[in-house]
Amino acid sequence: MRDTEELSEETYGPLKVACEDDVVARYGPRATVGRPGKVAGPHDPTEALMYWVRRAARGGRVALPADPGQPVQLVDSRDLARLVVQLLADARPGAFHAVGPDEPVTLGGLIETCARVAGTEVEIVPVSPDGRPPMFPLVRPDRTSQQRSPARARAAGLPTTPLEVTLSDVLAWDLGRGEPPLPGGYSPEEERAVLARHDAGAVDG
């Protein structure tokens, strides 16, 4: 696994485990391991959350090539930073699931919250995952990886920024930087084509 050169849905998790194993092998019981969910917040140039923030801000019918009920665990980057500083200050060993938000949220619920923050309305349309781009933003086949308990991290000092605040700050930052192209997810043209195929299949069925 340590010779892996390509990051994919299949290699991402095992590579994270390999990193933890190396830390524990070197520091033993003194090791402090942070296990964040998807890190999100302003100044994050990756597309995982940004895709849905931007897509929901456009409103309308949203193609979702996954189950809207899939759980999602994010952590505000500012909350994660505060936790890490506290863990170091306390010299606290162990593993800590730095995940949020404070209340559990599904992928469909996240998209609807993005729309509410942006002042738009969306209709989530579950579509076939066939042909979707790899590593689609926030889509994870393993639900258990999105259902970890944050209790130990909260007890150690993990703050809980409300999801609406994180999303609002991300939206404002993205608008301020001019909304540069994102590498992941559907382009508007691809999404229209996916929705058209979905609608055609629904009529034929």
Side-chain angles (χ1 to χ4, degrees):
M1 181 55 65
R2 287 169 173 75
D3 296 330
T4 301
E5 295 184 2
E6 182 176 351
L7 192 63
S8 68
E9 291 182 352
E10 290 72 30
T11 62
Y12 182 73
L15 285 171
K16 290 181 71 173
V17 172
C19 290
E20 285 192 17
D21 288 344
D22 286 351
V23 170
V24 173
R26 177 162 185 173
Y27 295 101
R30 296 184 297 116
T32 300
V33 176
R35 295 174 177 164
K38 170 55 194 168
V39 182
H43 306 285
D44 173 18
T46 62
E47 75 277 6
L49 178 62
M50 183 64 68
Y51 174 80
W52 296 115
V53 169
R54 191 181 294 183
R55 178 61 194 88
R58 296 205 311 268
R61 301 178 76 215
V62 177
L64 175 58
D67 177 6
Q70 174 207 298
V72 175
Q73 289 191 310
L74 307 170
V75 60
D76 190 294
S77 57
R78 296 160 291 192
D79 292 344
L80 177 60
R82 293 185 183 103
L83 172 67
V84 171
V85 170
Q86 192 64 55
L87 291 174
L88 293 175
D90 295 342
R92 191 186 296 246
F96 301 85
H97 294 300
V99 295
D102 190 26
E103 295 296 327
V105 67
T106 63
L107 185 50
L110 174 72
I111 297 169
E112 291 170 347
T113 305
C114 288
R116 187 164 60 251
V117 166
T120 61
E121 293 186 2
V122 294
E123 176 192 353
I124 298 173
V125 183
V127 299
S128 171
D130 294 344
R132 75 183 181 198
M135 296 288 285
F136 203 91
L138 296 185
V139 171
R140 296 290 181 267
D142 179 11
R143 286 185 176 233
T144 58
S145 69
Q146 300 297 305
Q147 295 176 300
R148 295 173 291 166
S149 171
R152 192 160 190 244
R154 297 266 169 81
L158 174 67
T160 55
T161 296
L163 179 60
E164 291 81 359
V165 172
T166 301
L167 298 177
S168 178
D169 290 349
V170 168
L171 177 61
W173 174 71
D174 190 39
L175 290 172
R177 67 177 184 150
E179 298 180 298
L182 297 176
Y186 293 128
S187 68
E189 296 76 18
E190 289 171 336
E191 185 180 37
R192 284 193 290 269
V194 167
L195 289 171
R197 288 195 299 270
H198 169 81
D199 294 344
V203 171
D204 292 343

